[in-house]
Amino acid sequence: MPSIFSRIVAGELPAYKVAEDEHHLAFLDITPLVEGHTLVIPKKEVDYIFDLPPAELAALHQFAQRVAKGVKAAVPCKRIGVAVIGLEVPHAHIHLIPMNQVSDMNFANPKIKVPEERMKELAAAIAAKVPGADGSPAAKTADKPLESKAERETAASNVAKTADASPADASLEQLRQLTEGLYFVSESDAPLTVVSYQAPSGALDAKELLKLLNQPADTPVQEQELTYFLRNHTADDGVLGNVDLANRYKALQMFLKQELEDVKVYRIGKGPQLEAYALGKTSGGKLAGFKTTLVET
């Protein structure tokens, strides 16, 4: 099973790209410690960075050096911190982190949430500042430092041979691919089913959601953060007991957080059996995500 990063390289998952050459790619971390937190990877999938041949390891760091100069030029900071952890994703990568104090590099710090428009601004600003391999100001970045949601969804639609589909349809097709064969483990195993609804005109609160799902108005609704809801499934040593499956859940989580606005999980009903809906707004204004069943006794 390809890593999340390999799927980004292949164009199967979106990313806020800031620089690219034949063998390397750099993009913004979507769960950053600070604004401008960037990941640098070799396109070739290698789990442990020090398993790279010496020449490839050196080339990766040379590429990271150019990216770091771009990050520092675009994001106000004292230094660019460098870290290699290697436990989060089984694909070698370097963290470049704008820092003003040592604590900015503490991975135990809560991750910040950066709005999509700000991520676009950061990606474009960094891409414009990354020097080329010869030291000149212009870098060889991706053809576009960052594609819009609509562009990515249209591309996905074309790949799926649904060129006449709307952006929302393209998102749903990608969701179906990402959730295919996935089960949520509670006290039973329930499949993830892709869902889509017409979004209410206002905010999606408990009252509007129950109306949308044709549930009684007094049905209990509990909200959860997506990352918390999936925490045991995205962990390499989690309930799935399978790193490849954990990586698929990480890819799903990344897609939902990046492609949908204001994604939340809604737990509906009373135990022992509950329905859970992970929902967010598409660029077309619809609600999309997945639902599953939880059994908790």
Side-chain angles (χ1 to χ4, degrees):
M1 176 70 65
S3 72
I4 296 172
F5 294 164
S6 288
R7 297 188 69 186
I8 289 174
V9 170
E12 296 174 8
L13 292 174
Y16 297 97
K17 297 179 183 179
V18 301
E20 183 173 13
D21 66 16
E22 184 180 357
H23 301 293
H24 311 98
L25 180 64
F27 49 90
L28 295 180
D29 192 322
I30 63 168
T31 55
L33 289 171
V34 297
E35 284 195 354
H37 184 165
T38 300
L39 302 177
V40 178
I41 67 168
K43 290 184 176 179
K44 181 174 76 173
E45 184 172 329
V46 174
D47 183 357
Y48 185 44
I49 193 168
F50 294 117
D51 283 340
L52 286 167
E56 294 180 19
L57 181 61
L60 177 64
H61 280 86
Q62 289 169 353
F63 180 77
Q65 181 183 37
R66 292 198 287 118
V67 176
K69 289 179 179 179
V71 176
K72 191 172 189 300
V75 181
C77 61
K78 292 181 178 178
R79 296 283 175 93
I80 300 298
V82 181
V84 175
I85 308 300
L87 297 176
E88 321 97 301
V89 178
H91 189 134
H93 56 286
I94 297 171
H95 294 264
L96 300 178
I97 303 172
M99 57 183 293
N100 291 297
Q101 52 196 6
V102 174
S103 60
D104 290 337
M105 292 287 293
N106 186 351
F107 280 78
N109 289 342
K111 305 300 189 292
I112 66 171
K113 184 173 179 60
V114 182
E116 181 186 5
E117 288 305 314
R118 178 57 178 159
M119 292 287 275
K120 290 180 181 180
E121 292 172 2
L122 287 165
I126 294 169
K129 296 293 186 180
V130 175
D134 59 356
S136 62
K140 180 184 178 184
T141 60
D143 291 338
K144 294 182 181 179
L146 179 71
E147 297 172 311
S148 69
K149 279 187 183 179
E151 289 170 326
R152 289 195 301 266
E153 289 167 336
T154 300
S157 179
N158 289 337
V159 170
K161 297 182 180 180
T162 55
D164 58 342
S166 69
D169 291 333
S171 288
L172 290 176
E173 179 58 33
Q174 288 180 283
L175 269 175
R176 290 188 186 98
Q177 293 175 15
L178 288 167
T179 57
E180 184 178 2
L182 290 184
Y183 285 76
F184 192 90
V185 179
S186 54
E187 293 186 30
S188 67
D189 295 345
L192 306 188
T193 303
V194 173
V195 294
S196 176
Y197 306 98
Q198 190 63 45
S201 55
L204 181 63
D205 55 20
K207 180 180 178 181
E208 290 293 336
L209 180 61
L210 292 174
K211 186 187 301 183
L212 198 66
L213 300 177
N214 295 316
Q215 295 279 355
D218 59 350
T219 303
V221 177
Q222 178 190 9
E223 294 184 13
Q224 280 187 345
E225 288 294 325
L226 178 68
T227 50
Y228 182 81
F229 180 72
L230 294 179
R231 67 194 185 283
N232 292 326
H233 292 67
T234 55
D236 290 345
D237 57 351
V239 295
L240 300 173
N242 183 305
V243 173
D244 288 340
L245 282 177
N247 285 337
R248 288 195 61 194
Y249 266 95
K250 290 174 187 175
L252 173 62
Q253 177 176 280
M254 179 183 292
F255 178 85
L256 291 170
K257 289 174 72 68
Q258 190 159 317
E259 291 299 297
L260 303 180
E261 180 183 344
D262 196 25
V263 179
K264 292 180 182 176
V265 174
Y266 302 88
R267 293 162 50 97
I268 298 173
K270 297 179 180 179
Q273 183 166 305
L274 310 169
E275 297 294 319
Y277 290 78
L279 297 172
K281 279 190 177 181
T282 69
S283 59
K286 287 190 174 183
L287 288 176
F290 68 81
K291 70 175 182 179
T292 191
T293 301
L294 314 178
V295 177
E296 300 174 345
T297 57

